[in-house]
Amino acid sequence: MEKEVVLPGELLGERKGRKLGQGVYLENDKIFSKILGMPRISDVEVIVLPLTGKYIPRFGDRVVGTIKEVEISGWLVDINSPYVAFLPLSEGVEEFVDTQRSDLSRYFDVGDTIFCKISRVTKQKVTQVSMRDMIARKLYGGVVIKVTPTKIPRIIGKAGSMINMIKQQTKCEIFTGQNGFIWIRGENKTKAIEAILMIERESHTSGLTERIEKMLGGK
Amino acid sequence: MKETSYAFDLLQKGKRADDREFEDFRKLELQTGIINTAEGSARVKLGDTEIIAGVKMNVGTPFPDTPNEGILIVNAEFTPLASPDFESGPPSEDAVECARVVDRGIRESHCIEMEKLAIDPEKVWAVFVDIHIINHGGNLIDAAAIAAVAALHNAQIPKYDGEKITRGEYQAKLPVVHKPVTVTVCKLGEKLFVDPTLEEEQIVDSKLSIAFREDDYICALQKQSAGSINFEEIKKFIEVAEKKSKDLRKKIWE
Amino acid sequence: MGGKKSDIELLKGGKRTDKRKPEDLREIKMEANVVPNADGSARVQFGNTIALAAVYGPRALFPRFMQEADTGILRTRYNMAPFSVVDRKAPGTDRRSTEISKVTRLALSPSVLLDDFPKATVDVYMEVIQADGSTRVTALNAASIALASAGIPMRGLVAACSCGKIEDTLIVDLNGLEDNFGNADMAVAMLPDKDEISLLQMDGLLTKEEFFKLLNMAKEKCLQIVEQQKSVLKKLYKVDKEMTE
């Protein structure tokens, strides 16, 4: 960690025509942090990356969700957020479905787990998810664990390096949602979960990759 | 969802998320005399569960049916600070149940010598035990019972001249003579375990709280789950609870 | 509160009942993340006064009619434990705690930025577990740390301090006796980074001059208190740094 954390209200500098990224606000042409986080300050943009906080849906995010309710024309999906997402029938199933005759629980029932994409978020956070995505799918069996959403990038690692290592070492199937839900299936899931929770706890430390490698190897 | 719960998955395999044995309690920390405005107090930490119990004493009129005895009132507050599932407002069913189960453990064990709390024919001491949940990490009843009894053992009777209580000055220790301990035993599938975490608590099939006195008398029982318990099983529940109550009593008082 | 007659001498040779000078704060202890279930939490102790605060949210708000379409809302609850005072307090909400719940919400509102959480709520729960005066400001100091540690967007931290008067002497950080038997007491909260006051309550008798003097004293103390809040929050992520060796 080369930079100190910043706190809400902390002055990050004059605006000087720079873009305001996430986690900052402008007051009297000065830029302040609005959250507890790590600053990223450049000549172009000022950002503060959050260290804690809830998942707020963003367009394009890939998330793990669980079906909360089956409606006439779609499903309500829990995406570990203050906002429940809607999966419309047309975004959930490829084939033609006669909603007059069939109950949508045939496709996804309450309690089912899915990996899906955030396909729309309105200003008021009305959120829609879609299964029309290469990697989207229904997830059978397995367990879902919950981690702090802000730690997901660390769990995935650079270009997926960390999560791929865990997958290879434990032979588990893992789907990592940017919302903090992670789905895991496989014989060694206890090991995989231990590794993920260790990354969550120690996400700010260096040499973490080596320690995880050692921990997974040392079975 | 029960099936996707990690705790469920582990328990099925005979394991627990924090690597405990099925009959292990989480780490117990107990401090007494932590609230200087109370006549007696205790803080219990049981894993992530944290509870503070405070004893306050007032002079009151005896209940007509027990004219020569003091009064005991146990109250529990599940403050919304302690869990996202607790709400402000009047006590929830769970809070009332917790208070009553703890109350029975104390009252039925004759833990306090109530007849010594009579002052004169019109006046007796009223003992208030207030249980305040600070963090709900499962198994509130066991932790609350420990906190309440420990706070009573820590309590002193304030000075009283027949008219006025002098707070902060004491005449004697509260006469507390027994050491009841409550143990809640849970069952999932065929397996019995104790001291459930919040996650484990949410998936148990059945749950039974049992209070034991140090001379092995059972002083309270309470089934707390929607699921039933078989006749044969009860014995196992009791066995586990008795064994664990002895372990706990050792931890608390030795 | 103030103005009751007492035979206790609140000031003796310039010293207060707890040996403090008029302008001294009591010993202050702060700790963040003390309630693991909460999204953010804190424990703050001013002398013998101890308050806990826990933040939950942003989370979905029901019933629906309470939702605001374009912003999240802030809800607060201030409560005292029955054993927190010398004479047991009946549990639950009373008129006093209802009022304090409201004023503490108004004290935090100028800071929190909830535009990004339409229809949701951020709930702040404050519990006083041991009371010796200045409970609302102690609770507010805890609430401010709890909000920041929960990752809630804020314009800045909120710091709070009580102040008052014994006979002609102005004092800060009232203890229980001073609260009960002093001649005036005042609760102040501010955003020290912004120089804004977000809570101001007073009862008792003060001249204008005394009032401004007191306000300045409170401000000076808030500046001191906010530094401690900041260091507690920064420490949360410093521990990790040390682990790297």
Side-chain angles (χ1 to χ4, degrees), chain B residues 34-39 43 48 50 52-56 58 73 75 77 79-89 128-132 134-137 167-168 198, chain C residues 34-38 41-43 48 50-56 59 77 79-93 125-132:
Chain B
I34 49 136
I35 303 288
N36 63 18
T37 42
E39 269 78 75
R43 170 193 283 124
D48 273 350
E50 180 175 348
I52 295 178
V55 174
K56 290 296 297 174
N58 276 338
I73 291 167
N75 165 64
E77 274 196 79
T79 63
L81 164 137
S83 165
D85 299 321
F86 295 169
E87 283 169 6
S88 29
F128 294 90
V129 181
D130 286 291
I131 295 158
H132 226 65
I134 304 300
N135 192 65
H136 179 13
R167 298 289 178 184
L198 194 54
Chain C
V34 295
V35 179
N37 274 345
S41 61
R43 171 195 167 98
N48 283 321
I50 307 171
L52 296 167
V55 169
Y56 287 96
R59 59 180 177 182
R77 178 189 193 246
N79 185 49
M80 290 179 88
F83 50 75
S84 66
V85 279
V86 170
D87 292 306
R88 178 180 184 262
K89 178 197 167 293
T93 308
Y125 299 114
M126 294 164 274
E127 293 283 333
V128 176
I129 60 166
Q130 181 171 287
D132 186 21

Side-chain angles (χ1 to χ4, degrees), chain B residues 105-114 149 152-153 175-180 213:
Chain B
I106 294 165
R107 197 181 298 275
E108 302 309 326
S109 69
H110 300 280
C111 172
I112 307 170
E113 293 181 292
M114 296 301 258
V149 175
L152 286 170
H153 275 270
V176 183
V177 291
H178 290 296
K179 294 166 179 171
R213 215 161 76 163

Side-chain angles (χ1 to χ4, degrees), chain C residues 1 18 21-22 35 58 100 107 121 124 126 146 148-149 160 174 188-189 195 231:
Chain C
M1 277 194 239
D18 46 17
K21 284 184 278 181
V35 179
I100 297 179
T121 178
V124 181
M126 294 164 274
S149 72
L174 278 58
V188 179
D195 218 18
S231 87

Side-chain angles (χ1 to χ4, degrees), chain C residues 19-230:
Chain C
K19 307 276 184 286
R20 276 184 295 162
K21 284 184 278 181
E23 68 279 12
D24 285 350
L25 292 170
R26 290 173 287 185
E27 190 192 355
I28 301 173
K29 290 182 193 156
M30 297 181 181
E31 198 185 339
N33 288 354
V34 295
V35 179
N37 274 345
D39 296 311
S41 61
R43 171 195 167 98
V44 171
Q45 178 162 9
F46 274 52
N48 283 321
T49 295
I50 307 171
L52 296 167
V55 169
Y56 287 96
R59 59 180 177 182
L61 172 61
F62 295 100
R64 230 188 140 112
F65 69 82
M66 289 180 73
Q67 298 179 354
E68 301 261 353
D70 53 355
T71 181
I73 66 163
L74 180 72
R75 296 192 294 186
T76 53
R77 178 189 193 246
Y78 164 98
N79 185 49
M80 290 179 88
F83 50 75
S84 66
V85 279
V86 170
D87 292 306
R88 178 180 184 262
K89 178 197 167 293
T93 308
D94 54 19
R95 287 155 57 92
R96 176 176 174 276
S97 61
T98 304
E99 186 205 347
I100 297 179
S101 296
K102 181 177 175 181
V103 296
T104 49
R105 183 172 73 248
L106 297 180
L108 297 168
S109 296
S111 172
V112 293
L113 301 164
L114 304 179
D115 297 355
D116 206 26
F117 312 129
K119 299 177 288 184
T121 178
V122 172
D123 294 329
V124 181
Y125 299 114
M126 294 164 274
E127 293 283 333
V128 176
I129 60 166
Q130 181 171 287
D132 186 21
S134 307
T135 59
R136 73 193 69 187
V137 292
T138 307
L140 258 179
N141 285 320
S144 170
I145 299 172
L147 281 164
S149 72
I152 304 297
M154 302 165 86
R155 282 177 62 232
L157 295 175
V158 175
C161 184
S162 70
C163 49
K165 188 174 89 158
I166 304 170
E167 285 144 27
D168 290 328
T169 310
L170 302 181
I171 57 170
V172 296
D173 186 19
L174 278 58
N175 65 33
L177 283 174
E178 293 165 343
D179 206 340
N180 279 326
F181 301 113
N183 304 84
D185 68 89
M186 183 157 113
V188 179
M190 55 185 302
L191 281 75
D193 291 333
K194 305 287 176 194
D195 218 18
E196 293 172 23
I197 294 167
S198 63
L199 169 87
L200 185 60
Q201 289 184 288
M202 194 282 281
D203 49 42
L205 290 172
L206 290 178
T207 66
K208 229 191 305 177
E209 201 191 359
E210 285 170 333
F211 168 74
F212 286 115
K213 235 185 194 166
L214 263 187
L215 197 58
N216 271 320
M217 285 168 78
K219 179 185 165 179
E220 191 192 309
K221 296 303 170 189
C222 284
L223 288 170
Q224 204 175 315
I225 290 162
V226 80
E227 287 311 312
Q228 200 168 338
Q229 290 174 313
K230 286 177 180 174

